[in-house]
Amino acid sequence: MASQKTQEIPVIWIQGAACTGCSVSVLNSVSPTIKNVLVDEVIPGKHVNLRFQATVMAGAGDLVIEALEETWQTKKGGYVLVVEGAIPTRGDAASYCSLGEDKQGKPVSFASRVESLGRDALAVIALGTCAAFGGIPAAKPNPSQCVSVMQLFQSKGVSTPLINIPGCPPHPDWFVGTVASVLIGGLPKAGDLDELNRPKAFYGQLIHENCPRRAYYDEQKFAKKLSDPGCLYELGCKGPVTHADCATRTWNNGVNWCVQCGGLCIGCASEGFPDLVSPMYEKTPDEVLPNIGQKVVQ
Ligand code: FSX
Ligand code: SF4
Ligand code: SF4
């Protein structure tokens, strides 16, 4: 438990256009457990003080909105904002997604929450492909004009440090590991993030670079159906264009992962998910066939 000398790090975690899969995935963190992260000192001397998280908090209504706004007003520059889900921006954006009401009882749009809370945060984590890149809610025809946190910040001139943790859903280690590294070493240094603000520690390589079926690919031995041995490329595997460490980290506490269980990588952590990796079960065009770590235009 936190002692008197513990440094409290307030965290506000808000959810927009999303399926809550990101929360559910992170709540399944095994080492450390989510209880360790939220109740104990996950890093000695530092304690995550989760001030707002709709999926796990017991409270509701005005009480929790007051807690959110009190944290925003009293901890400016000192709290971490976690955004889950894309951000509808069409018309009166509050019609598509809102979070609480203002003093006059008017719904506050999720977009304005992300902008105002994001502007005053120490750092922002865009959790999941929807928050990081728009994801499924921003897929064509995108009727609510969903954008990512990065796009909203660019359009509103918000320059708060932003870390993208894509994945639909993201692996719990990608989130917990990023939070732990910020608690230990502070905000990411130059070179820690790639050009899309993803931690290189988790997204530095393609799935295809470390896939246990890679030898089949190199020998051009392709599976004809999902349950076959062989490389799944001709069935539509997006491992050659997706940066993430699923092949070595594996999922569900090391039980399995997409390609190992006979499925294929649908590119859920990719910046182009889902439009640019569709059709998911059709072969990716040859012009994006990579060598290790790079794309080769033929
Ligand atoms: Fe998106 Fe999160 Fe995919 Fe779902 O809430 S990244 S739809 S798994 O979970 O935002
Ligand atoms: Fe593995 Fe997919 Fe690459 Fe084949 S195409 S080696 S299944 S990541
Ligand atoms: Fe997503 Fe591909 Fe990783 Fe599966 S292997 S979780 S589809 S990035």
Side-chain angles (χ1 to χ4, degrees):
M1 291 291 284
S3 72
Q4 280 189 334
K5 289 195 183 141
T6 301
Q7 184 191 357
E8 296 284 336
I9 317 283
V11 173
I12 300 172
W13 180 324
I14 57 176
Q15 298 157 305
C19 77
T20 313
C22 305
S23 287
V24 173
S25 181
V26 169
L27 289 170
N28 279 324
S29 180
V30 173
S31 180
T33 66
I34 199 67
K35 174 183 161 294
N36 293 145
V37 176
L38 298 181
V39 180
D40 304 331
E41 290 180 3
V42 62
I43 302 300
K46 301 202 176 174
H47 176 242
V48 171
N49 182 356
L50 188 61
R51 301 282 298 156
F52 187 96
Q53 212 288 0
T55 307
V56 298
M57 65 193 175
D62 289 345
L63 203 62
V64 295
I65 296 297
E66 276 165 26
L68 180 151
E69 295 192 335
E70 192 258 348
T71 306
W72 171 36
Q73 292 301 329
T74 61
K75 308 286 182 191
K76 286 195 175 185
Y79 64 85
V80 173
L81 177 70
V82 178
V83 180
E84 176 179 349
I87 306 154
T89 61
R90 183 173 178 182
D92 169 16
S95 320
Y96 293 92
C97 191
S98 62
L99 178 55
E101 296 170 346
D102 64 16
K103 298 280 179 279
Q104 288 72 46
K106 192 166 171 282
V108 178
S109 72
F110 186 66
S112 73
R113 290 285 190 198
V114 175
E115 181 187 349
S116 55
L117 291 168
R119 203 181 287 283
D120 293 331
L122 169 70
V124 178
I125 296 178
L127 179 63
T129 299
C130 303
F133 303 131
I136 292 171
K140 289 176 192 147
N142 193 3
S144 56
Q145 294 172 3
C146 274
V147 298
S148 65
V149 176
M150 199 155 53
Q151 288 170 313
L152 185 89
F153 280 9
Q154 277 163 2
S155 69
K156 301 292 182 186
V158 178
S159 56
T160 307
L162 171 66
I163 305 172
N164 282 327
I165 311 285
C168 187
H171 195 295
D173 291 3
W174 301 340
F175 176 72
V176 174
T178 299
V179 170
S181 106
V182 169
L183 293 183
I184 294 169
L187 294 173
K189 319 264 176 310
D192 289 347
L193 304 181
D194 67 11
E195 71 283 1
L196 293 173
N197 288 18
R198 299 172 294 194
K200 289 181 186 168
F202 303 118
Y203 302 93
Q205 291 187 303
L206 294 163
I207 302 277
H208 187 63
E209 289 179 73
N210 299 300
C211 180
R213 298 190 189 221
R214 177 57 192 252
Y216 288 128
Y217 174 88
D218 291 341
E219 293 293 322
Q220 301 285 288
K221 289 181 178 160
F222 296 110
K224 298 288 178 235
K225 60 180 189 310
L226 287 177
S227 55
D228 285 350
C231 167
L232 301 164
Y233 176 71
E234 300 221 316
L235 297 175
C237 183
K238 303 301 184 282
V241 294
T242 303
H243 287 86
D245 64 4
C246 307
T248 47
R249 184 169 303 283
T250 71
W251 278 74
N252 301 100
N253 197 24
V255 171
N256 220 328
W257 70 287
C258 306
V259 169
Q260 187 182 326
C261 74
L264 45 76
C265 172
I266 59 170
C268 84
S270 157
E271 63 271 33
F273 181 82
D275 287 346
L276 294 181
V277 291
S278 295
M280 288 166 190
Y281 289 88
E282 284 182 21
K283 184 180 171 185
T284 313
D286 280 342
E287 61 267 21
V288 292
L289 258 178
N291 277 337
I292 292 281
Q294 65 182 24
K295 293 177 182 173
V296 176
V297 179
Q298 296 183 332

